[in-house]
Amino acid sequence: MNIGTITTDRKIPKRRYHVLTKMFMRWQLYLLLLPTLFYFIVFEYGPMYGLLIAFKDFTPIKGILESPWVGFKHFQTFLESYQFETLIKNTIGISIYELALFPIPVILALLLNQLVSNKYKRLVQTITYAPHFISTVVLVGMMYIFFSPRTGFFNLMLGQFGVDPIQFMAEPGWFKSMFVWSNVWQNAGFGMIIYLAALTSINPELHEAAVVDGATKVQRIRNIDLPGIMPTVMIMLLLQMGSFMSIGFEKVYLMQNAVNADVSEIIQTHVYKTGLIGGKFSYSTAVGLFNNIINFIILLSFNQLAKRMKQTSLW
């Protein structure tokens, strides 16, 4: 070996194709991806720059860059406010209520999948899926009409049994049930279709073999259908946990009134009232960021829990 010459037996691995070469070979796919990337960059990641005002004393005249830094002042103000406990309690209470009813679309899909008549199955799918297309404003308007204490359908029915009219839309005790069950009525059909699509991927030969072995419908549902759609169920559950603290602003705000405000005031309505109406832009941004951080932590925790339980996870 010559002096100054270094030899080695290891061979440097060579890439089969360069990254740019691969992209050029599949340029049609990347071209189709461009509108989606543009949307997320402009409308999702771009506005995140505005999160800076959560750490500043923002005024529109000075702008984001010129407004003075205040650190975690607005977060501390929210945590020490008299409304903090009420907002957290109401938000978590409604979220847990909705989470408890999460299995309803799964149960509906499992039951509907057992129907023999395809004509009746399509009819049920149409009836249960139709409310999904009703807008939130129209839905709340329907609720005010149907649950009216004088002319509402449900109070008229209760009157036939000698029950006094109930202020469903005004009494605080009814708010959570009205909100959650109306969501179930509107969205259960959509969720059911997702699980029905997952059920179609199950091999029919499994059911045929189970029938030959004498398995009942309940046993087939428990041992074939339910394990077959469990990955889809876990993904849908994780997505719901990712928005655990984000109930939705529109419907709560439309159902809210002076009588039920103590149980209907949630983080989203508080952000709207203090930010857009009250003009406290930095404070409302801090509250919204706090809420999203909690959602992110919950999503990470449950995704990790799903991985430890050897279930399907998001990543």
Side-chain angles (χ1 to χ4, degrees), residues 171-196:
E171 290 189 9
W174 282 98
F175 178 81
K176 288 185 175 66
S177 296
M178 296 290 294
F179 178 85
V180 174
W181 282 103
S182 60
N183 275 348
V184 172
W185 176 78
Q186 185 178 24
N187 299 315
F190 177 78
M192 180 183 66
I193 289 181
I194 295 177
Y195 299 121
L196 283 174

mmCIF file with all atom_site columns, all heavy atoms in Angstrom, residues 171-196:
data_model
loop_
_atom_site.group_PDB
_atom_site.id
_atom_site.type_symbol
_atom_site.label_atom_id
_atom_site.label_alt_id
_atom_site.label_comp_id
_atom_site.label_asym_id
_atom_site.label_entity_id
_atom_site.label_seq_id
_atom_site.pdbx_PDB_ins_code
_atom_site.Cartn_x
_atom_site.Cartn_y
_atom_site.Cartn_z
_atom_site.occupancy
_atom_site.B_iso_or_equiv
_atom_site.pdbx_formal_charge
_atom_site.auth_seq_id
_atom_site.auth_comp_id
_atom_site.auth_asym_id
_atom_site.auth_atom_id
_atom_site.pdbx_PDB_model_num
ATOM 1   N N   . GLU A 1 171 ? -84.388 25.669 29.472 1.00 0.00 ? 171 GLU A N   1
ATOM 2   C CA  . GLU A 1 171 ? -83.977 25.120 30.756 1.00 0.00 ? 171 GLU A CA  1
ATOM 3   C C   . GLU A 1 171 ? -82.536 24.620 30.677 1.00 0.00 ? 171 GLU A C   1
ATOM 4   O O   . GLU A 1 171 ? -82.187 23.847 29.787 1.00 0.00 ? 171 GLU A O   1
ATOM 5   C CB  . GLU A 1 171 ? -84.904 23.987 31.167 1.00 0.00 ? 171 GLU A CB  1
ATOM 6   C CG  . GLU A 1 171 ? -86.308 24.452 31.546 1.00 0.00 ? 171 GLU A CG  1
ATOM 7   C CD  . GLU A 1 171 ? -87.126 23.338 32.148 1.00 0.00 ? 171 GLU A CD  1
ATOM 8   O OE1 . GLU A 1 171 ? -86.544 22.255 32.427 1.00 0.00 ? 171 GLU A OE1 1
ATOM 9   O OE2 . GLU A 1 171 ? -88.341 23.530 32.332 1.00 0.00 ? 171 GLU A OE2 1
ATOM 10  N N   . PRO A 1 172 ? -81.669 25.046 31.601 1.00 0.00 ? 172 PRO A N   1
ATOM 11  C CA  . PRO A 1 172 ? -80.254 24.642 31.554 1.00 0.00 ? 172 PRO A CA  1
ATOM 12  C C   . PRO A 1 172 ? -80.057 23.129 31.609 1.00 0.00 ? 172 PRO A C   1
ATOM 13  O O   . PRO A 1 172 ? -79.129 22.603 30.998 1.00 0.00 ? 172 PRO A O   1
ATOM 14  C CB  . PRO A 1 172 ? -79.665 25.326 32.799 1.00 0.00 ? 172 PRO A CB  1
ATOM 15  C CG  . PRO A 1 172 ? -80.575 26.480 33.077 1.00 0.00 ? 172 PRO A CG  1
ATOM 16  C CD  . PRO A 1 172 ? -81.934 26.025 32.677 1.00 0.00 ? 172 PRO A CD  1
ATOM 17  N N   . GLY A 1 173 ? -80.925 22.420 32.320 1.00 0.00 ? 173 GLY A N   1
ATOM 18  C CA  . GLY A 1 173 ? -80.757 20.981 32.458 1.00 0.00 ? 173 GLY A CA  1
ATOM 19  C C   . GLY A 1 173 ? -80.931 20.204 31.168 1.00 0.00 ? 173 GLY A C   1
ATOM 20  O O   . GLY A 1 173 ? -80.470 19.062 31.065 1.00 0.00 ? 173 GLY A O   1
ATOM 21  N N   . TRP A 1 174 ? -81.588 20.803 30.189 1.00 0.00 ? 174 TRP A N   1
ATOM 22  C CA  . TRP A 1 174 ? -81.832 20.120 28.920 1.00 0.00 ? 174 TRP A CA  1
ATOM 23  C C   . TRP A 1 174 ? -80.816 20.467 27.841 1.00 0.00 ? 174 TRP A C   1
ATOM 24  O O   . TRP A 1 174 ? -80.824 19.860 26.768 1.00 0.00 ? 174 TRP A O   1
ATOM 25  C CB  . TRP A 1 174 ? -83.238 20.466 28.397 1.00 0.00 ? 174 TRP A CB  1
ATOM 26  C CG  . TRP A 1 174 ? -84.331 19.725 29.083 1.00 0.00 ? 174 TRP A CG  1
ATOM 27  C CD1 . TRP A 1 174 ? -85.131 20.156 30.102 1.00 0.00 ? 174 TRP A CD1 1
ATOM 28  C CD2 . TRP A 1 174 ? -84.749 18.386 28.788 1.00 0.00 ? 174 TRP A CD2 1
ATOM 29  N NE1 . TRP A 1 174 ? -86.018 19.184 30.466 1.00 0.00 ? 174 TRP A NE1 1
ATOM 30  C CE2 . TRP A 1 174 ? -85.814 18.080 29.669 1.00 0.00 ? 174 TRP A CE2 1
ATOM 31  C CE3 . TRP A 1 174 ? -84.351 17.422 27.870 1.00 0.00 ? 174 TRP A CE3 1
ATOM 32  C CZ2 . TRP A 1 174 ? -86.468 16.858 29.668 1.00 0.00 ? 174 TRP A CZ2 1
ATOM 33  C CZ3 . TRP A 1 174 ? -84.997 16.188 27.857 1.00 0.00 ? 174 TRP A CZ3 1
ATOM 34  C CH2 . TRP A 1 174 ? -86.032 15.922 28.747 1.00 0.00 ? 174 TRP A CH2 1
ATOM 35  N N   . PHE A 1 175 ? -79.955 21.427 28.085 1.00 0.00 ? 175 PHE A N   1
ATOM 36  C CA  . PHE A 1 175 ? -79.096 21.923 27.001 1.00 0.00 ? 175 PHE A CA  1
ATOM 37  C C   . PHE A 1 175 ? -78.174 20.831 26.459 1.00 0.00 ? 175 PHE A C   1
ATOM 38  O O   . PHE A 1 175 ? -78.116 20.605 25.245 1.00 0.00 ? 175 PHE A O   1
ATOM 39  C CB  . PHE A 1 175 ? -78.264 23.112 27.479 1.00 0.00 ? 175 PHE A CB  1
ATOM 40  C CG  . PHE A 1 175 ? -77.319 23.626 26.427 1.00 0.00 ? 175 PHE A CG  1
ATOM 41  C CD1 . PHE A 1 175 ? -77.773 24.476 25.437 1.00 0.00 ? 175 PHE A CD1 1
ATOM 42  C CD2 . PHE A 1 175 ? -75.983 23.232 26.411 1.00 0.00 ? 175 PHE A CD2 1
ATOM 43  C CE1 . PHE A 1 175 ? -76.917 24.937 24.447 1.00 0.00 ? 175 PHE A CE1 1
ATOM 44  C CE2 . PHE A 1 175 ? -75.123 23.690 25.429 1.00 0.00 ? 175 PHE A CE2 1
ATOM 45  C CZ  . PHE A 1 175 ? -75.586 24.540 24.445 1.00 0.00 ? 175 PHE A CZ  1
ATOM 46  N N   . LYS A 1 176 ? -77.431 20.157 27.333 1.00 0.00 ? 176 LYS A N   1
ATOM 47  C CA  . LYS A 1 176 ? -76.462 19.154 26.860 1.00 0.00 ? 176 LYS A CA  1
ATOM 48  C C   . LYS A 1 176 ? -77.159 18.040 26.096 1.00 0.00 ? 176 LYS A C   1
ATOM 49  O O   . LYS A 1 176 ? -76.677 17.598 25.037 1.00 0.00 ? 176 LYS A O   1
ATOM 50  C CB  . LYS A 1 176 ? -75.672 18.595 28.043 1.00 0.00 ? 176 LYS A CB  1
ATOM 51  C CG  . LYS A 1 176 ? -74.658 19.542 28.642 1.00 0.00 ? 176 LYS A CG  1
ATOM 52  C CD  . LYS A 1 176 ? -73.837 18.848 29.725 1.00 0.00 ? 176 LYS A CD  1
ATOM 53  C CE  . LYS A 1 176 ? -72.729 19.761 30.258 1.00 0.00 ? 176 LYS A CE  1
ATOM 54  N NZ  . LYS A 1 176 ? -73.285 20.922 30.968 1.00 0.00 ? 176 LYS A NZ  1
ATOM 55  N N   . SER A 1 177 ? -78.287 17.562 26.605 1.00 0.00 ? 177 SER A N   1
ATOM 56  C CA  . SER A 1 177 ? -78.990 16.476 25.927 1.00 0.00 ? 177 SER A CA  1
ATOM 57  C C   . SER A 1 177 ? -79.522 16.930 24.568 1.00 0.00 ? 177 SER A C   1
ATOM 58  O O   . SER A 1 177 ? -79.440 16.183 23.578 1.00 0.00 ? 177 SER A O   1
ATOM 59  C CB  . SER A 1 177 ? -80.143 15.978 26.797 1.00 0.00 ? 177 SER A CB  1
ATOM 60  O OG  . SER A 1 177 ? -79.658 15.407 27.998 1.00 0.00 ? 177 SER A OG  1
ATOM 61  N N   . MET A 1 178 ? -80.066 18.140 24.509 1.00 0.00 ? 178 MET A N   1
ATOM 62  C CA  . MET A 1 178 ? -80.572 18.651 23.242 1.00 0.00 ? 178 MET A CA  1
ATOM 63  C C   . MET A 1 178 ? -79.440 18.785 22.223 1.00 0.00 ? 178 MET A C   1
ATOM 64  O O   . MET A 1 178 ? -79.594 18.440 21.048 1.00 0.00 ? 178 MET A O   1
ATOM 65  C CB  . MET A 1 178 ? -81.253 19.997 23.463 1.00 0.00 ? 178 MET A CB  1
ATOM 66  C CG  . MET A 1 178 ? -82.485 19.949 24.352 1.00 0.00 ? 178 MET A CG  1
ATOM 67  S SD  . MET A 1 178 ? -83.860 19.119 23.554 1.00 0.00 ? 178 MET A SD  1
ATOM 68  C CE  . MET A 1 178 ? -84.205 20.244 22.225 1.00 0.00 ? 178 MET A CE  1
ATOM 69  N N   . PHE A 1 179 ? -78.313 19.272 22.662 1.00 0.00 ? 179 PHE A N   1
ATOM 70  C CA  . PHE A 1 179 ? -77.181 19.482 21.763 1.00 0.00 ? 179 PHE A CA  1
ATOM 71  C C   . PHE A 1 179 ? -76.624 18.154 21.265 1.00 0.00 ? 179 PHE A C   1
ATOM 72  O O   . PHE A 1 179 ? -76.425 17.954 20.050 1.00 0.00 ? 179 PHE A O   1
ATOM 73  C CB  . PHE A 1 179 ? -76.094 20.273 22.488 1.00 0.00 ? 179 PHE A CB  1
ATOM 74  C CG  . PHE A 1 179 ? -74.860 20.507 21.669 1.00 0.00 ? 179 PHE A CG  1
ATOM 75  C CD1 . PHE A 1 179 ? -74.791 21.581 20.794 1.00 0.00 ? 179 PHE A CD1 1
ATOM 76  C CD2 . PHE A 1 179 ? -73.770 19.651 21.757 1.00 0.00 ? 179 PHE A CD2 1
ATOM 77  C CE1 . PHE A 1 179 ? -73.655 21.794 20.018 1.00 0.00 ? 179 PHE A CE1 1
ATOM 78  C CE2 . PHE A 1 179 ? -72.635 19.862 20.997 1.00 0.00 ? 179 PHE A CE2 1
ATOM 79  C CZ  . PHE A 1 179 ? -72.579 20.928 20.124 1.00 0.00 ? 179 PHE A CZ  1
ATOM 80  N N   . VAL A 1 180 ? -76.375 17.227 22.171 1.00 0.00 ? 180 VAL A N   1
ATOM 81  C CA  . VAL A 1 180 ? -75.701 15.982 21.809 1.00 0.00 ? 180 VAL A CA  1
ATOM 82  C C   . VAL A 1 180 ? -76.610 15.069 20.991 1.00 0.00 ? 180 VAL A C   1
ATOM 83  O O   . VAL A 1 180 ? -76.202 14.537 19.951 1.00 0.00 ? 180 VAL A O   1
ATOM 84  C CB  . VAL A 1 180 ? -75.207 15.264 23.083 1.00 0.00 ? 180 VAL A CB  1
ATOM 85  C CG1 . VAL A 1 180 ? -74.638 13.890 22.722 1.00 0.00 ? 180 VAL A CG1 1
ATOM 86  C CG2 . VAL A 1 180 ? -74.147 16.096 23.780 1.00 0.00 ? 180 VAL A CG2 1
ATOM 87  N N   . TRP A 1 181 ? -77.860 14.899 21.412 1.00 0.00 ? 181 TRP A N   1
ATOM 88  C CA  . TRP A 1 181 ? -78.744 13.978 20.701 1.00 0.00 ? 181 TRP A CA  1
ATOM 89  C C   . TRP A 1 181 ? -79.150 14.509 19.324 1.00 0.00 ? 181 TRP A C   1
ATOM 90  O O   . TRP A 1 181 ? -79.387 13.729 18.403 1.00 0.00 ? 181 TRP A O   1
ATOM 91  C CB  . TRP A 1 181 ? -79.977 13.669 21.541 1.00 0.00 ? 181 TRP A CB  1
ATOM 92  C CG  . TRP A 1 181 ? -79.682 12.682 22.619 1.00 0.00 ? 181 TRP A CG  1
ATOM 93  C CD1 . TRP A 1 181 ? -79.511 12.941 23.954 1.00 0.00 ? 181 TRP A CD1 1
ATOM 94  C CD2 . TRP A 1 181 ? -79.507 11.274 22.461 1.00 0.00 ? 181 TRP A CD2 1
ATOM 95  N NE1 . TRP A 1 181 ? -79.241 11.787 24.643 1.00 0.00 ? 181 TRP A NE1 1
ATOM 96  C CE2 . TRP A 1 181 ? -79.228 10.747 23.756 1.00 0.00 ? 181 TRP A CE2 1
ATOM 97  C CE3 . TRP A 1 181 ? -79.554 10.414 21.376 1.00 0.00 ? 181 TRP A CE3 1
ATOM 98  C CZ2 . TRP A 1 181 ? -79.000 9.394  23.960 1.00 0.00 ? 181 TRP A CZ2 1
ATOM 99  C CZ3 . TRP A 1 181 ? -79.320 9.055  21.588 1.00 0.00 ? 181 TRP A CZ3 1
ATOM 100 C CH2 . TRP A 1 181 ? -79.057 8.565  22.861 1.00 0.00 ? 181 TRP A CH2 1
ATOM 101 N N   . SER A 1 182 ? -79.225 15.823 19.178 1.00 0.00 ? 182 SER A N   1
ATOM 102 C CA  . SER A 1 182 ? -79.473 16.371 17.841 1.00 0.00 ? 182 SER A CA  1
ATOM 103 C C   . SER A 1 182 ? -78.278 16.124 16.935 1.00 0.00 ? 182 SER A C   1
ATOM 104 O O   . SER A 1 182 ? -78.438 15.898 15.724 1.00 0.00 ? 182 SER A O   1
ATOM 105 C CB  . SER A 1 182 ? -79.791 17.865 17.925 1.00 0.00 ? 182 SER A CB  1
ATOM 106 O OG  . SER A 1 182 ? -78.712 18.593 18.494 1.00 0.00 ? 182 SER A OG  1
ATOM 107 N N   . ASN A 1 183 ? -77.059 16.141 17.495 1.00 0.00 ? 183 ASN A N   1
ATOM 108 C CA  . ASN A 1 183 ? -75.870 15.779 16.716 1.00 0.00 ? 183 ASN A CA  1
ATOM 109 C C   . ASN A 1 183 ? -75.922 14.318 16.285 1.00 0.00 ? 183 ASN A C   1
ATOM 110 O O   . ASN A 1 183 ? -75.543 13.972 15.154 1.00 0.00 ? 183 ASN A O   1
ATOM 111 C CB  . ASN A 1 183 ? -74.603 16.028 17.539 1.00 0.00 ? 183 ASN A CB  1
ATOM 112 C CG  . ASN A 1 183 ? -74.117 17.459 17.436 1.00 0.00 ? 183 ASN A CG  1
ATOM 113 O OD1 . ASN A 1 183 ? -74.576 18.217 16.587 1.00 0.00 ? 183 ASN A OD1 1
ATOM 114 N ND2 . ASN A 1 183 ? -73.205 17.837 18.307 1.00 0.00 ? 183 ASN A ND2 1
ATOM 115 N N   . VAL A 1 184 ? -76.375 13.457 17.189 1.00 0.00 ? 184 VAL A N   1
ATOM 116 C CA  . VAL A 1 184 ? -76.493 12.035 16.854 1.00 0.00 ? 184 VAL A CA  1
ATOM 117 C C   . VAL A 1 184 ? -77.493 11.847 15.725 1.00 0.00 ? 184 VAL A C   1
ATOM 118 O O   . VAL A 1 184 ? -77.250 11.111 14.760 1.00 0.00 ? 184 VAL A O   1
ATOM 119 C CB  . VAL A 1 184 ? -76.912 11.231 18.101 1.00 0.00 ? 184 VAL A CB  1
ATOM 120 C CG1 . VAL A 1 184 ? -77.237 9.784  17.716 1.00 0.00 ? 184 VAL A CG1 1
ATOM 121 C CG2 . VAL A 1 184 ? -75.806 11.259 19.147 1.00 0.00 ? 184 VAL A CG2 1
ATOM 122 N N   . TRP A 1 185 ? -78.635 12.517 15.817 1.00 0.00 ? 185 TRP A N   1
ATOM 123 C CA  . TRP A 1 185 ? -79.661 12.403 14.775 1.00 0.00 ? 185 TRP A CA  1
ATOM 124 C C   . TRP A 1 185 ? -79.141 12.894 13.426 1.00 0.00 ? 185 TRP A C   1
ATOM 125 O O   . TRP A 1 185 ? -79.452 12.322 12.382 1.00 0.00 ? 185 TRP A O   1
ATOM 126 C CB  . TRP A 1 185 ? -80.889 13.216 15.184 1.00 0.00 ? 185 TRP A CB  1
ATOM 127 C CG  . TRP A 1 185 ? -81.963 13.247 14.144 1.00 0.00 ? 185 TRP A CG  1
ATOM 128 C CD1 . TRP A 1 185 ? -82.865 12.262 13.853 1.00 0.00 ? 185 TRP A CD1 1
ATOM 129 C CD2 . TRP A 1 185 ? -82.247 14.325 13.233 1.00 0.00 ? 185 TRP A CD2 1
ATOM 130 N NE1 . TRP A 1 185 ? -83.696 12.648 12.821 1.00 0.00 ? 185 TRP A NE1 1
ATOM 131 C CE2 . TRP A 1 185 ? -83.346 13.910 12.424 1.00 0.00 ? 185 TRP A CE2 1
ATOM 132 C CE3 . TRP A 1 185 ? -81.704 15.588 13.036 1.00 0.00 ? 185 TRP A CE3 1
ATOM 133 C CZ2 . TRP A 1 185 ? -83.882 14.722 11.432 1.00 0.00 ? 185 TRP A CZ2 1
ATOM 134 C CZ3 . TRP A 1 185 ? -82.239 16.394 12.043 1.00 0.00 ? 185 TRP A CZ3 1
ATOM 135 C CH2 . TRP A 1 185 ? -83.321 15.966 11.255 1.00 0.00 ? 185 TRP A CH2 1
ATOM 136 N N   . GLN A 1 186 ? -78.314 13.939 13.448 1.00 0.00 ? 186 GLN A N   1
ATOM 137 C CA  . GLN A 1 186 ? -77.836 14.521 12.201 1.00 0.00 ? 186 GLN A CA  1
ATOM 138 C C   . GLN A 1 186 ? -76.664 13.766 11.594 1.00 0.00 ? 186 GLN A C   1
ATOM 139 O O   . GLN A 1 186 ? -76.553 13.671 10.369 1.00 0.00 ? 186 GLN A O   1
ATOM 140 C CB  . GLN A 1 186 ? -77.440 15.983 12.426 1.00 0.00 ? 186 GLN A CB  1
ATOM 141 C CG  . GLN A 1 186 ? -77.048 16.717 11.153 1.00 0.00 ? 186 GLN A CG  1
ATOM 142 C CD  . GLN A 1 186 ? -76.700 18.181 11.406 1.00 0.00 ? 186 GLN A CD  1
ATOM 143 O OE1 . GLN A 1 186 ? -76.322 18.546 12.518 1.00 0.00 ? 186 GLN A OE1 1
ATOM 144 N NE2 . GLN A 1 186 ? -76.845 19.010 10.396 1.00 0.00 ? 186 GLN A NE2 1
ATOM 145 N N   . ASN A 1 187 ? -75.791 13.196 12.413 1.00 0.00 ? 187 ASN A N   1
ATOM 146 C CA  . ASN A 1 187 ? -74.529 12.667 11.900 1.00 0.00 ? 187 ASN A CA  1
ATOM 147 C C   . ASN A 1 187 ? -74.373 11.156 12.030 1.00 0.00 ? 187 ASN A C   1
ATOM 148 O O   . ASN A 1 187 ? -73.403 10.599 11.511 1.00 0.00 ? 187 ASN A O   1
ATOM 149 C CB  . ASN A 1 187 ? -73.353 13.337 12.615 1.00 0.00 ? 187 ASN A CB  1
ATOM 150 C CG  . ASN A 1 187 ? -73.332 14.839 12.401 1.00 0.00 ? 187 ASN A CG  1
ATOM 151 O OD1 . ASN A 1 187 ? -73.520 15.312 11.286 1.00 0.00 ? 187 ASN A OD1 1
ATOM 152 N ND2 . ASN A 1 187 ? -73.126 15.594 13.467 1.00 0.00 ? 187 ASN A ND2 1
ATOM 153 N N   . ALA A 1 188 ? -75.291 10.485 12.718 1.00 0.00 ? 188 ALA A N   1
ATOM 154 C CA  . ALA A 1 188 ? -75.143 9.030  12.889 1.00 0.00 ? 188 ALA A CA  1
ATOM 155 C C   . ALA A 1 188 ? -75.212 8.305  11.554 1.00 0.00 ? 188 ALA A C   1
ATOM 156 O O   . ALA A 1 188 ? -74.491 7.321  11.327 1.00 0.00 ? 188 ALA A O   1
ATOM 157 C CB  . ALA A 1 188 ? -76.216 8.503  13.840 1.00 0.00 ? 188 ALA A CB  1
ATOM 158 N N   . GLY A 1 189 ? -76.056 8.778  10.636 1.00 0.00 ? 189 GLY A N   1
ATOM 159 C CA  . GLY A 1 189 ? -76.169 8.130  9.336  1.00 0.00 ? 189 GLY A CA  1
ATOM 160 C C   . GLY A 1 189 ? -74.896 8.222  8.524  1.00 0.00 ? 189 GLY A C   1
ATOM 161 O O   . GLY A 1 189 ? -74.516 7.262  7.836  1.00 0.00 ? 189 GLY A O   1
ATOM 162 N N   . PHE A 1 190 ? -74.206 9.362  8.613  1.00 0.00 ? 190 PHE A N   1
ATOM 163 C CA  . PHE A 1 190 ? -72.945 9.522  7.888  1.00 0.00 ? 190 PHE A CA  1
ATOM 164 C C   . PHE A 1 190 ? -71.885 8.580  8.439  1.00 0.00 ? 190 PHE A C   1
ATOM 165 O O   . PHE A 1 190 ? -71.161 7.922  7.682  1.00 0.00 ? 190 PHE A O   1
ATOM 166 C CB  . PHE A 1 190 ? -72.479 10.975 7.994  1.00 0.00 ? 190 PHE A CB  1
ATOM 167 C CG  . PHE A 1 190 ? -71.161 11.231 7.333  1.00 0.00 ? 190 PHE A CG  1
ATOM 168 C CD1 . PHE A 1 190 ? -71.068 11.372 5.965  1.00 0.00 ? 190 PHE A CD1 1
ATOM 169 C CD2 . PHE A 1 190 ? -70.005 11.326 8.092  1.00 0.00 ? 190 PHE A CD2 1
ATOM 170 C CE1 . PHE A 1 190 ? -69.844 11.603 5.351  1.00 0.00 ? 190 PHE A CE1 1
ATOM 171 C CE2 . PHE A 1 190 ? -68.778 11.555 7.489  1.00 0.00 ? 190 PHE A CE2 1
ATOM 172 C CZ  . PHE A 1 190 ? -68.699 11.694 6.118  1.00 0.00 ? 190 PHE A CZ  1
ATOM 173 N N   . GLY A 1 191 ? -71.800 8.513  9.782  1.00 0.00 ? 191 GLY A N   1
ATOM 174 C CA  . GLY A 1 191 ? -70.843 7.590  10.381 1.00 0.00 ? 191 GLY A CA  1
ATOM 175 C C   . GLY A 1 191 ? -71.168 6.143  10.073 1.00 0.00 ? 191 GLY A C   1
ATOM 176 O O   . GLY A 1 191 ? -70.265 5.321  9.865  1.00 0.00 ? 191 GLY A O   1
ATOM 177 N N   . MET A 1 192 ? -72.460 5.834  10.009 1.00 0.00 ? 192 MET A N   1
ATOM 178 C CA  . MET A 1 192 ? -72.872 4.464  9.714  1.00 0.00 ? 192 MET A CA  1
ATOM 179 C C   . MET A 1 192 ? -72.404 4.035  8.321  1.00 0.00 ? 192 MET A C   1
ATOM 180 O O   . MET A 1 192 ? -71.968 2.892  8.126  1.00 0.00 ? 192 MET A O   1
ATOM 181 C CB  . MET A 1 192 ? -74.396 4.364  9.805  1.00 0.00 ? 192 MET A CB  1
ATOM 182 C CG  . MET A 1 192 ? -74.951 2.985  9.516  1.00 0.00 ? 192 MET A CG  1
ATOM 183 S SD  . MET A 1 192 ? -76.747 2.950  9.561  1.00 0.00 ? 192 MET A SD  1
ATOM 184 C CE  . MET A 1 192 ? -77.130 3.996  8.138  1.00 0.00 ? 192 MET A CE  1
ATOM 185 N N   . ILE A 1 193 ? -72.464 4.944  7.354  1.00 0.00 ? 193 ILE A N   1
ATOM 186 C CA  . ILE A 1 193 ? -72.039 4.608  5.991  1.00 0.00 ? 193 ILE A CA  1
ATOM 187 C C   . ILE A 1 193 ? -70.541 4.303  5.946  1.00 0.00 ? 193 ILE A C   1
ATOM 188 O O   . ILE A 1 193 ? -70.089 3.424  5.211  1.00 0.00 ? 193 ILE A O   1
ATOM 189 C CB  . ILE A 1 193 ? -72.407 5.753  5.035  1.00 0.00 ? 193 ILE A CB  1
ATOM 190 C CG1 . ILE A 1 193 ? -73.920 5.795  4.829  1.00 0.00 ? 193 ILE A CG1 1
ATOM 191 C CG2 . ILE A 1 193 ? -71.701 5.609  3.699  1.00 0.00 ? 193 ILE A CG2 1
ATOM 192 C CD1 . ILE A 1 193 ? -74.399 6.864  3.898  1.00 0.00 ? 193 ILE A CD1 1
ATOM 193 N N   . ILE A 1 194 ? -69.761 5.016  6.750  1.00 0.00 ? 194 ILE A N   1
ATOM 194 C CA  . ILE A 1 194 ? -68.320 4.743  6.805  1.00 0.00 ? 194 ILE A CA  1
ATOM 195 C C   . ILE A 1 194 ? -68.061 3.329  7.295  1.00 0.00 ? 194 ILE A C   1
ATOM 196 O O   . ILE A 1 194 ? -67.236 2.589  6.733  1.00 0.00 ? 194 ILE A O   1
ATOM 197 C CB  . ILE A 1 194 ? -67.622 5.775  7.714  1.00 0.00 ? 194 ILE A CB  1
ATOM 198 C CG1 . ILE A 1 194 ? -67.720 7.173  7.098  1.00 0.00 ? 194 ILE A CG1 1
ATOM 199 C CG2 . ILE A 1 194 ? -66.154 5.389  7.946  1.00 0.00 ? 194 ILE A CG2 1
ATOM 200 C CD1 . ILE A 1 194 ? -67.130 8.259  7.961  1.00 0.00 ? 194 ILE A CD1 1
ATOM 201 N N   . TYR A 1 195 ? -68.780 2.916  8.339  1.00 0.00 ? 195 TYR A N   1
ATOM 202 C CA  . TYR A 1 195 ? -68.568 1.574  8.876  1.00 0.00 ? 195 TYR A CA  1
ATOM 203 C C   . TYR A 1 195 ? -69.159 0.505  7.957  1.00 0.00 ? 195 TYR A C   1
ATOM 204 O O   . TYR A 1 195 ? -68.628 -0.618 7.892  1.00 0.00 ? 195 TYR A O   1
ATOM 205 C CB  . TYR A 1 195 ? -69.181 1.476  10.275 1.00 0.00 ? 195 TYR A CB  1
ATOM 206 C CG  . TYR A 1 195 ? -68.546 2.439  11.252 1.00 0.00 ? 195 TYR A CG  1
ATOM 207 C CD1 . TYR A 1 195 ? -69.296 3.397  11.913 1.00 0.00 ? 195 TYR A CD1 1
ATOM 208 C CD2 . TYR A 1 195 ? -67.178 2.401  11.499 1.00 0.00 ? 195 TYR A CD2 1
ATOM 209 C CE1 . TYR A 1 195 ? -68.716 4.287  12.799 1.00 0.00 ? 195 TYR A CE1 1
ATOM 210 C CE2 . TYR A 1 195 ? -66.582 3.288  12.386 1.00 0.00 ? 195 TYR A CE2 1
ATOM 211 C CZ  . TYR A 1 195 ? -67.362 4.229  13.026 1.00 0.00 ? 195 TYR A CZ  1
ATOM 212 O OH  . TYR A 1 195 ? -66.772 5.112  13.894 1.00 0.00 ? 195 TYR A OH  1
ATOM 213 N N   . LEU A 1 196 ? -70.232 0.827  7.252  1.00 0.00 ? 196 LEU A N   1
ATOM 214 C CA  . LEU A 1 196 ? -70.770 -0.122 6.274  1.00 0.00 ? 196 LEU A CA  1
ATOM 215 C C   . LEU A 1 196 ? -69.769 -0.363 5.147  1.00 0.00 ? 196 LEU A C   1
ATOM 216 O O   . LEU A 1 196 ? -69.633 -1.493 4.651  1.00 0.00 ? 196 LEU A O   1
ATOM 217 C CB  . LEU A 1 196 ? -72.094 0.402  5.699  1.00 0.00 ? 196 LEU A CB  1
ATOM 218 C CG  . LEU A 1 196 ? -73.329 0.257  6.578  1.00 0.00 ? 196 LEU A CG  1
ATOM 219 C CD1 . LEU A 1 196 ? -74.521 0.953  5.940  1.00 0.00 ? 196 LEU A CD1 1
ATOM 220 C CD2 . LEU A 1 196 ? -73.649 -1.217 6.815  1.00 0.00 ? 196 LEU A CD2 1
#
